[in-house]
Amino acid sequence: MAELPKTYNPRDVEGPIYERWLAADVFAPDGAGSTADPALPPFTIIQPPPNVTGSLHLGHAQRTAVEDLLVRHARMVGHPTLFLPGLDHASIAAQFVLDGVIAKEGESRQSLGRERYLDRMRAFSESTKPVMLAQQRRVGASADWGRLRYTMDDGSAKAVRVAFERLYRDGLAYRTEALINWCPGCRTSVSDLEVVPTPETGTLWSVRYHLLDEATGQPSQDETITVATTRPETILGDVAVAVHPDDDRYRALVGRRARIPFVERDVPIIADDVVDRAFGTGAVKITPAHDQDDYVTGKRHHLPMPTILADDATVTNTGTRFDGLDRYEARELIVAELAARGDLVDQKPHEMIIGRCQRSNDVLEPRLKTQWFIRTKPLADRALDATRSGRTRILPERFEKTWEHWLTDIRDWNVSRQLWWGHRIPAWYCPDGHVTVSSAQDGPETCEVCGRPATELTQDPDIFDTWFSSGLWPWSTLGWPDDTPDYRTYYPTSVMETGYDIIFFWVARMMMLGLHLTGHEPFHTVYLSGLIRDPEGQKMSKTKGNVVDPLAVIDETGADALRFALIHGAAPGQDQRFGRTKLENARNFANKLWNATRFVVGARPSTIAEDAERRLPAESDLGPAERWLLSRASATTEAVDAAMAEFAFGEVTRLVYDAIWNEFCDWGVELAKVRLADESLPAATRETTWWALVEALDTYLRLLHPVMPFVTEQLWGALPHRASDPALLIVARWPAPGGRDERVEAEVGSIVELIRGLRNARAESRVEAKSWLPTEVAVPSAMGPTFEALRPAVERLARARPLERRLSREALGQGHGSDAGTLTVIAGELEAIARLPDGTADAAARDVERARLERELEEARGWLAGARARLANEAFVSKAPPAVVEGARAREAELVDQVERLEDRLADLGS
RNA sequence: GGGCGGUUAGCUCAGUCGGUCAGAGCGCCUCGCUUACACCGAGGAAGUCACUGGUUCGAGUCCAGUACCGCCCACCA
């Protein structure tokens, strides 16, 4: 048994405890210290890998806390548990960060070049990795560090290649020219999910295009058609003007041609019902290469699709003087020029939604590019089937709707990125344009179409969207595509815990890819956590400066308090405001537990050897207080099991918190103190009391361990163990439910209520805290033994002495009559009268007492009226379940009795 | 434009199967005799469960609608 310092200092506890776990090798399912039951199925959590871009924030700490809670619980139950940690190379996010770093050195991606840039990136990520791993250890993650994986390691690289080739061979990956979202800042395409629709006030310009005179073929001065646009620079890419087919204003113009200014291109006026007649002028300019709607329209009408913007969003390829200008400079000049020509008909502010880059915040440009896409429809159908069939469950359930909606309307996934940091797309092109996709580490030997040698092939310069490699995470980390023991044992995994904000980015893609590539749902449960917000409800972000460093919190209050605070009061999928008070509450709780354990350890009767084995006392030796304690521990175990089964972790912490603080400490310990100090009792009785305390505390430490692993481990180490217990709590067995004693719970419960009542009455009547009041209690004979066993405790805790027992209510107060000097307390079947100290029993005291009793009477009458009204309702009696009616009747009888007694007492008090 | 969530004590939030569930923490007010704990103990005050209607014997809980707040999805120039 370890010594417990007088004060709880998490810093002294947590580091050494983590070292002990590591030394004992208990994290790995096949570690030397594992106590797993091989007969039970494995429990696997693959950690959502945090980005290597820097340090972890509170959201990560919350993730880790929840995952670790699940893993520790499963480990204690006896499952072989794998908690596999990892890191994500975070392609675009990492490049964004590194670009910022090197910019300060006057360098850029372009100035460094691909290879030097990648070297720089590798060095950068190697520098952040240890920081992040250390943070996770501080939080207490019981992860199997020996199996640590990284999305850029060789295993992941192989998985990416093989996965892509499989998808390609199966017709689910294809390369095509399509309109994609282009970020001029990041110089890459991004997926639809990375577009942030941003409301902005722009300008809607109305521009007049001149129709061609049918006779001369020259632009007419008079005949014009006015189009509305928010992006005048795209005029340079216009290939048509569209109107609605049923629009009478323009019907006659359909089929004629108009001259596009600057590029002097003559384009047709076409009819298409995508046009909204009510918007703008009802005539739309069509720029297929730079607008989603126009692209579709252009396809439909077989229009040409000139690209007029370069990668850096400068105008290009128009043959005008705008070439080389930034898109916004060009816009300004074009507007000015149009105005000068008299063709700018109108301009007005316009509220619109503009797509910005999730990473750089640049305004995205739709552009035509040849890219690789994943055909998602067939994959999405299987993913939908997984959740609809219940093979995979999403918690909280409401997210299944979101899931359904997104997967039903899913569009193909652009996976090409024009970035450097990531997995290169394993596609090679030969001079004849043939495509060879190969998962071979060194690429294909020949073009698979024409047989040209590898030396003549060029690999696609692009890399994969970072989510492509993370989308393979649950199985690539276990050795896939190889048939490894880990893959066979731990896949499919158990629970995927992550934030709801990446359900599409990540969870849906893992599900889609996993089903196709491995044939299994990658996890049976998806648990979505809510987001951590600051005390004002704001999302935490670096730019707002409200990001909290978990390490700072841990330094101050300990990892246990942080974990408890993050889990306590959090409902699944529900955002949570996080601030000091929650943290302080959690720290206070840890402190409370520490001191309670210290008391128990210090209260060991001298007749028990310090190194005695923990043993449950003989049933017959247990008094009511001891039975109550053990029964309540069982009740808590049952409730915690139920909450765990429903992933209601906030409920778990609430249950354990209440049980430890309000039951174990407030009553268990207080009742035990009286017996432990009672020299008149036989030593064996006191030993029994102590063993019951130890037993209950042992149970609570086990129940709390998944949430607060460090402090519980430390405290458990200070308690006596059984021979069958392992050396460490982390691998000890989860408590088994059972052993409730409802009668003793009720009886001790009413004695507790009596003590509370007496304390309340004393406080109301302003009885000095230190004074002892002579008290009589009427105790029904059935409760006699329990009362007698607890009599010393009632005396001390209610400060009632001498305490005399009466057999009936009628026998109360015989000794001194009914005068102003008494307090009456009714607690269930028990009733007590306490006599006020001499000198305080005056008329004023009587008024206070009467007022208190009248208040209670009023309240009881109110309840009684309610109960009677219910029972008087015939519909209730006939339709409600018999048990409910019975309960109401019993309640009524109880209230009748209570009202009677209060009335009697008030009558006795006189006026 | 669709979809989802939130609205419960001064503040932050729980509340599962409709039935004494009106709950917790913090804050607030009284009082502290008692060698585990002042990061504590005892006691207390405090809510028309956003609003309207409905279903039901019974609604914080289920249904419909309304009002705010927030989020997600969506090709209106």
Side-chain angles (χ1 to χ4, degrees):
Chain A
M1 275 186 269
E3 284 294 308
L4 286 183
K6 188 164 173 12
T7 52
Y8 166 56
N9 188 344
R11 285 208 229 188
D12 297 339
V13 171
E14 296 176 356
I17 289 286
Y18 201 86
E19 290 305 320
R20 286 187 65 194
W21 289 330
L22 286 175
D25 195 8
V26 288
F27 292 165
D30 40 12
S34 172
T35 59
D37 179 351
L40 290 177
F43 181 90
T44 310
I45 287 190
I46 309 288
Q47 183 188 38
N51 291 350
V52 288
T53 49
S55 56
L56 303 183
H57 51 69
L58 271 186
H60 289 115
Q62 179 206 32
R63 298 289 117 78
T64 303
V66 171
E67 290 150 19
D68 198 49
L69 165 116
L70 285 163
V71 165
R72 286 178 185 269
H73 172 258
R75 188 184 287 121
M76 291 177 79
V77 168
H79 295 281
T81 47
L82 174 59
F83 183 14
L84 192 150
L87 294 165
D88 196 299
H89 69 283
S91 174
I92 189 168
Q95 281 204 206
F96 188 73
V97 171
L98 184 62
D99 286 356
V101 171
I102 60 178
K104 286 183 188 141
E105 302 163 5
E107 298 281 359
S108 73
R109 228 192 282 178
Q110 288 71 22
S111 74
L112 287 178
R114 189 161 189 155
E115 286 316 310
R116 281 174 62 205
Y117 184 83
L118 286 177
D119 285 343
R120 192 63 207 270
M121 181 64 88
R122 279 185 278 267
F124 172 68
S125 60
E126 287 309 314
S127 73
T128 59
K129 272 185 200 172
V131 176
M132 301 175 62
L133 298 179
Q135 282 177 308
Q136 302 216 48
R137 293 196 175 102
R138 288 291 304 278
V139 175
S142 61
D144 181 359
W145 300 107
R147 283 180 168 89
L148 176 72
R149 290 294 302 268
Y150 180 39
T151 53
M152 277 300 273
D153 61 25
D154 292 343
S156 246
K158 181 174 177 184
V160 165
R161 293 193 306 268
V162 171
F164 186 67
E165 186 180 349
R166 280 271 302 275
L167 292 165
Y168 177 70
R169 307 266 172 238
D170 296 337
L172 294 169
Y174 63 94
R175 184 170 184 252
T176 192
E177 185 185 59
L179 203 67
I180 48 84
N181 311 297
W182 182 263
C183 175
C186 303
R187 300 285 170 90
T188 181
S189 57
V190 296
S191 74
D192 295 338
L193 284 175
E194 292 160 278
V195 179
V196 182
T198 316
E200 252 162 65
T201 305
T203 307
L204 185 65
W205 287 275
S206 295
V207 178
R208 204 158 60 183
Y209 289 174
H210 294 263
L211 296 180
L212 295 186
D213 187 299
E214 285 180 312
T216 67
Q218 290 304 307
S220 155
Q221 273 314 303
D222 322 322
E223 286 190 294
T224 59
I225 185 164
T226 303
V227 297
T229 181
T230 56
R231 294 189 297 160
E233 67 279 11
T234 63
I235 287 172
L236 305 173
D238 279 358
V239 295
V241 173
V243 297
H244 195 275
D246 302 331
D247 194 333
D248 293 334
R249 293 173 293 176
Y250 299 117
R251 197 187 297 274
L253 301 183
V254 173
R256 291 191 57 185
R257 300 177 75 77
R259 167 81 39 105
I260 304 300
F262 313 115
V263 289
E264 307 303 325
R265 182 160 50 227
D266 297 336
V267 306
I269 293 169
I270 60 173
D272 196 302
D273 52 19
V274 295
V275 179
D276 177 356
R277 279 175 278 182
F279 187 89
T281 61
V284 189
K285 57 192 273 315
I286 302 294
T287 322
H290 297 285
D291 182 275
Q292 194 62 241
D293 289 336
D294 294 2
Y295 177 71
V296 176
T297 309
K299 280 270 184 196
R300 199 157 43 227
H301 294 266
H302 308 291
L303 298 169
M305 304 192 171
T307 288
I308 58 122
L309 285 172
D311 286 357
D312 58 357
T314 56
V315 175
T316 188
N317 204 29
T318 66
T320 66
R321 61 196 169 84
F322 306 117
D323 278 5
L325 292 180
D326 174 78
R327 52 185 162 168
Y328 297 121
E329 291 170 12
R331 174 181 298 180
E332 218 168 289
L333 289 177
I334 284 171
V335 168
E337 179 73 16
L338 288 170
R341 293 183 185 190
D343 286 332
L344 188 65
V345 179
D346 186 29
Q347 69 178 75
K348 58 183 178 193
H350 181 59
E351 298 303 324
M352 54 190 198
I353 307 285
I354 205 158
R356 285 182 177 272
C357 174
Q358 185 192 46
R359 198 57 53 187
S360 70
N361 204 38
D362 284 298
V363 174
L364 297 169
E365 287 292 343
R367 287 199 59 190
L368 276 175
K369 285 264 181 185
T370 299
Q371 311 255 294
W372 284 95
F373 290 83
I374 303 296
R375 202 181 303 285
T376 45
K377 185 68 185 154
L379 298 172
D381 286 344
R382 290 188 69 182
L384 284 169
D385 184 54
T387 48
R388 285 173 184 163
S389 69
R391 286 192 298 276
T392 296
R393 199 161 58 124
I394 299 180
L395 297 174
E397 275 175 20
R398 65 184 137 88
F399 281 99
E400 284 197 20
K401 273 193 183 174
T402 316
W403 175 266
E404 281 273 335
H405 185 252
W406 191 73
L407 283 168
T408 304
D409 296 332
I410 195 166
R411 284 184 289 171
D412 283 355
W413 174 18
N414 170 13
V415 291
S416 291
R417 293 293 177 277
Q418 292 66 50
L419 300 167
W420 293 342
W421 176 234
H423 295 286
R424 191 101 172 247
I425 293 176
W428 283 260
Y429 313 118
C430 88
D432 291 336
H434 302 141
V435 176
T436 304
V437 170
S438 167
S439 59
Q441 188 163 5
D442 301 318
E445 290 175 7
T446 58
C447 171
E448 70 179 21
V449 179
C450 65
R452 280 176 193 265
T455 48
E456 294 183 33
L457 306 183
T458 317
Q459 187 175 2
D460 195 311
D462 290 350
I463 62 165
F464 281 109
D465 180 356
T466 194
W467 294 103
F468 187 76
S469 46
S470 19
L472 311 172
W473 189 240
W475 53 96
S476 68
T477 47
L478 294 171
W480 188 92
D482 298 329
D483 185 21
T484 62
D486 270 8
Y487 179 66
R488 279 200 301 273
T489 308
Y490 302 110
Y491 189 82
T493 72
S494 307
V495 179
M496 172 50 62
E497 187 279 343
T498 193
Y500 66 77
D501 53 336
I502 55 174
I503 183 170
F504 306 137
F505 277 107
W506 195 43
V507 183
R509 282 153 177 180
M510 283 190 287
M511 183 67 87
M512 291 193 289
L513 294 172
L515 282 164
H516 184 74
L517 296 170
T518 72
H520 293 103
E521 287 78 14
F523 21 74
H524 62 65
T525 301
V526 176
Y527 177 88
L528 298 168
S529 292
L531 272 31
I532 304 292
R533 296 175 177 277
D534 76 4
E536 277 73 50
Q538 302 286 313
K539 216 167 171 173
M540 288 191 180
S541 75
K542 278 179 189 157
T543 47
K544 283 193 193 116
N546 59 355
V547 174
V548 176
D549 175 9
L551 288 191
V553 174
I554 291 172
D555 284 341
E556 201 183 326
T557 62
D560 285 316
L562 173 60
R563 292 168 62 121
F564 185 92
L566 286 168
I567 290 165
H568 192 59
Q574 204 62 48
D575 292 356
Q576 140 171 231
R577 294 184 194 202
F578 196 83
R580 288 213 70 77
T581 55
K582 284 184 179 179
L583 217 42
E584 279 169 8
N585 183 233
R587 187 221 26 208
N588 294 351
F589 178 51
N591 187 249
K592 181 80 179 175
L593 182 64
W594 179 275
N595 283 299
T597 306
R598 217 159 50 79
F599 168 78
V600 171
V601 170
R604 175 174 49 83
S606 54
T607 50
I608 297 174
E610 193 177 340
D611 58 354
E613 254 180 46
R614 178 163 63 86
R615 61 183 175 82
L616 195 55
E619 181 78 4
S620 55
D621 291 342
L622 295 170
E626 290 73 32
R627 287 170 199 271
W628 176 83
L629 199 54
L630 297 175
S631 186
R632 289 310 304 158
S634 279
T636 305
T637 303
E638 285 171 14
V640 167
D641 281 343
M644 279 301 303
E646 292 173 38
F647 291 78
F649 309 127
E651 179 72 1
V652 169
T653 54
R654 195 188 64 74
L655 286 164
V656 181
Y657 181 98
D658 286 350
I660 290 176
W661 203 311
N662 301 327
E663 290 183 356
F664 182 80
C665 292
D666 288 354
W667 296 102
V669 167
E670 294 306 320
L671 293 174
K673 273 181 188 172
V674 179
R675 278 165 80 84
L676 288 169
D678 191 344
E679 296 290 337
S680 71
L681 293 170
T685 302
R686 280 177 282 151
E687 289 181 18
T688 296
T689 294
W690 190 71
W691 283 120
L693 276 181
V694 169
E695 186 70 19
L697 183 55
D698 175 276
T699 297
Y700 289 132
L701 290 174
R702 288 175 200 244
L703 293 178
L704 190 57
H705 179 261
V707 181
M708 302 181 108
F710 295 107
V711 71
T712 51
E713 183 74 82
Q714 176 81 22
L715 296 175
W716 193 74
L719 290 181
H721 299 163
R722 291 192 183 175
S724 58
D725 280 327
L728 291 168
L729 176 59
I730 185 175
V731 283
R733 277 295 171 268
W734 188 251
R740 293 287 296 279
D741 184 338
E742 311 226 349
R743 180 170 166 192
V744 90
E745 283 190 35
E747 290 187 353
V748 174
S750 54
I751 286 174
V752 163
E753 203 189 326
L754 177 76
I755 295 170
R756 282 211 177 103
L758 285 165
R759 284 169 167 177
N760 173 343
R762 291 169 62 109
E764 295 259 340
S765 293
R766 310 233 164 237
V767 174
E768 272 192 67
K770 62 185 170 202
S771 60
W772 295 82
L773 303 190
T775 305
E776 296 169 47
V777 186
V779 182
S781 56
M783 266 189 72
T786 296
F787 179 81
E788 287 306 330
L790 294 178
R791 167 195 287 274
V794 175
E795 281 184 18
R796 177 163 147 182
L797 300 180
R799 264 187 123 61
R801 192 178 287 164
L803 179 65
E804 294 178 61
R805 177 178 162 206
R806 300 281 181 263
L807 294 176
S808 71
R809 271 184 263 145
E810 292 69 30
L812 285 178
Q814 300 293 336
H816 49 80
S818 304
D819 56 32
T822 60
L823 303 174
T824 300
V825 170
I826 295 167
E829 291 183 87
L830 302 174
E831 183 167 340
I833 289 188
R835 195 161 61 235
L836 292 173
D838 294 340
T840 63
D842 54 16
R846 186 174 60 184
D847 289 345
V848 170
E849 172 69 352
R850 192 192 304 106
R852 183 177 66 84
L853 292 174
E854 275 170 354
R855 224 171 36 236
E856 282 181 19
L857 176 60
E858 196 185 342
E859 200 180 326
R861 278 177 175 157
W863 288 118
L864 180 58
R868 280 187 168 149
R870 216 147 57 116
L871 286 164
N873 184 345
E874 204 166 316
F876 171 73
V877 178
S878 59
K879 291 190 179 175
V884 174
V885 178
E886 271 317 297
R889 290 222 168 92
R891 179 71 180 145
E892 185 202 22
E894 201 181 312
L895 286 164
V896 166
D897 182 56
Q898 198 179 331
V899 166
E900 251 173 45
R901 287 198 267 164
L902 285 165
E903 282 170 347
D904 286 354
R905 252 334 273 167
L906 279 163
D908 289 350
L909 264 185
S911 49

